[in-house]
Amino acid sequence: MRTIATEIIIDATPEEVWATLIDLPRYCVWNPYIRQAVGEVVPGTRLELTAYPESGRPATFRPTVLLVARNVEFRWAHRLPVRGLFDRQHYLRLAEGPNRTTRLEHGERFRGLLVPFRTKALNATARNLTTMNEALRTRVESARSTP
């Protein structure tokens, strides 16, 4: 198993960050990594997400929503058609910080036979998550400062 974990502090409440994270139709407005997102944020449903990695072609995938804990965590899973080759679980966790801030933990866990051979792609994923974190912070903080 390999885990990619990123973190960022956002000058907004978990409720404000959550509202942006679950507003999938608006991903196209602010998210440079996952620019298209369709579906219901409900456990057991499938989303349709199109990722635009920093290098490479856009890829559409259909993960299953695993967990939706309001203002706390949003998690989905995706795998290749054959289980155990390259399974991934994506998570976004929010924690309230001091002075109305939010700590976002954003990452993915990878399992499967192909994981050791995908080092370059996994390193790129870490950069893509960091880019998404920065864009999320900009989006939420700018919305907060707008009267």
Side-chain angles (χ1 to χ4, degrees):
M1 180 171 75
R2 171 138 181 225
T3 300
I4 294 171
T6 66
E7 188 175 299
I8 194 167
I9 302 297
I10 300 172
D11 187 17
T13 65
E15 294 81 7
E16 292 168 311
V17 176
W18 182 259
T20 299
L21 280 178
I22 64 164
D23 188 3
L24 301 182
R26 289 209 177 293
Y27 273 32
C28 63
V29 174
W30 65 267
N31 194 331
Y33 180 42
I34 301 173
R35 296 185 202 166
Q36 297 168 317
V38 177
E40 292 184 60
V41 181
V42 175
T45 63
R46 294 195 78 156
L47 304 176
E48 183 171 305
L49 307 176
T50 303
Y52 289 75
E54 68 173 14
S55 59
R57 295 182 299 229
T60 299
F61 57 104
R62 292 168 185 81
T64 300
V65 177
L66 299 177
L67 176 69
V68 180
R70 184 182 169 105
N71 303 326
V72 176
E73 185 171 357
F74 180 25
R75 188 182 330 156
W76 67 72
H78 181 256
R79 66 173 198 250
L80 296 176
V82 177
R83 174 175 264 164
L85 286 181
F86 192 75
D87 304 339
R88 60 199 299 175
Q89 194 173 107
H90 190 106
Y91 64 89
L92 297 119
R93 290 190 196 115
L94 308 177
E96 187 172 354
N99 302 318
R100 297 177 46 92
T101 61
T102 299
R103 180 173 48 87
L104 169 69
E105 294 177 40
H106 185 189
E108 289 196 328
R109 291 188 186 105
F110 300 89
R111 290 179 185 239
L113 297 173
L114 298 178
V115 172
F117 306 102
R118 302 287 306 189
T119 300
K120 185 177 177 183
L122 297 179
N123 290 339
T125 297
R127 291 189 299 275
N128 290 319
L129 296 184
T130 298
T131 299
M132 181 175 161
N133 295 349
E134 291 291 342
L136 175 65
R137 176 169 60 189
T138 298
R139 174 74 175 178
V140 172
E141 289 179 358
S142 67
R144 188 176 205 211
S145 63
T146 304

